[in-house]
Amino acid sequence: MMMLAVHLSFSGNCRQAFLYYKRCFGGELTMQTLADTPHGRGMNEAMQQAVVWATLENEYFKLVGTDLTDEDRIVSGNNVSILIECPSFTERTRLINKLINRNYCAFENTNPLVNVVDMYRISWILSVQP
């Protein structure tokens, strides 16, 4: 089953924002920091506190966010994406091809998250849970 969510990108304040949203909207909040992952070992403490993935779910919506981004800097306009959780890599590739109106790369991309921008400059993140 595919799930649609809103994805928010932050510059180091994802934890504070999601705690605020939880107070505003209620729901179940889960967070993972770099310190919680094998990749975080050996990083400085500030980097270890970066939020890899925050999720707030309630009866109305699902919000997902991160402090980690490919963007050089976060500005209003590039900090919100639509996240679609796909059931398979095949389905994700099919959706990417439709969104960008051409065939996606020929190799099998096993990155769990792929970001594409459609012709209307809307940012989409398509994920597959391993």
Side-chain angles (χ1 to χ4, degrees), residues 1 6 11 39 46 76 78 99:
M1 180 174 109
V6 175
S11 295
H39 302 293
S76 183
N78 74 355
L99 283 168

Side-chain angles (χ1 to χ4, degrees), residues 27-124:
E28 182 179 340
L29 176 62
T30 57
M31 257 188 252
Q32 180 185 39
T33 64
L34 272 173
D36 300 326
T37 71
H39 302 293
R41 294 188 184 104
M43 291 185 175
N44 67 43
E45 190 169 331
M47 277 304 295
Q48 286 184 349
Q49 296 309 307
V51 173
V52 175
W53 204 249
T55 303
L56 178 64
E57 291 185 74
N58 65 26
E59 62 186 306
Y60 304 110
F61 58 78
K62 179 177 183 178
L63 286 178
V64 180
T66 187
D67 282 321
L68 307 179
T69 178
D70 288 341
E71 299 293 329
D72 289 335
R73 60 190 174 102
I74 301 296
V75 296
S76 183
N78 74 355
N79 61 337
V80 177
S81 300
I82 300 169
L83 171 71
I84 298 179
E85 296 174 338
C86 301
S88 68
F89 287 102
T90 301
E91 178 62 12
R92 182 180 71 180
T93 300
R94 187 186 73 75
L95 290 174
I96 291 169
N97 287 336
K98 290 198 173 280
L99 283 168
I100 64 175
N101 201 25
R102 61 183 162 86
N103 284 335
Y104 187 54
C105 54
F107 66 91
E108 182 66 25
N109 187 334
T110 58
N111 183 344
L113 298 173
V114 172
N115 188 3
V116 297
V117 177
D118 69 19
M119 70 173 102
Y120 301 103
R121 300 189 40 89
I122 302 299
S123 176
W124 297 84

Side-chain angles (χ1 to χ4, degrees), residues 13-30:
N13 59 347
C14 183
R15 175 186 305 278
Q16 295 87 346
F18 269 76
L19 290 171
Y20 172 75
Y21 298 146
K22 180 174 174 46
R23 285 194 311 272
C24 291
F25 302 114
E28 182 179 340
L29 176 62
T30 57

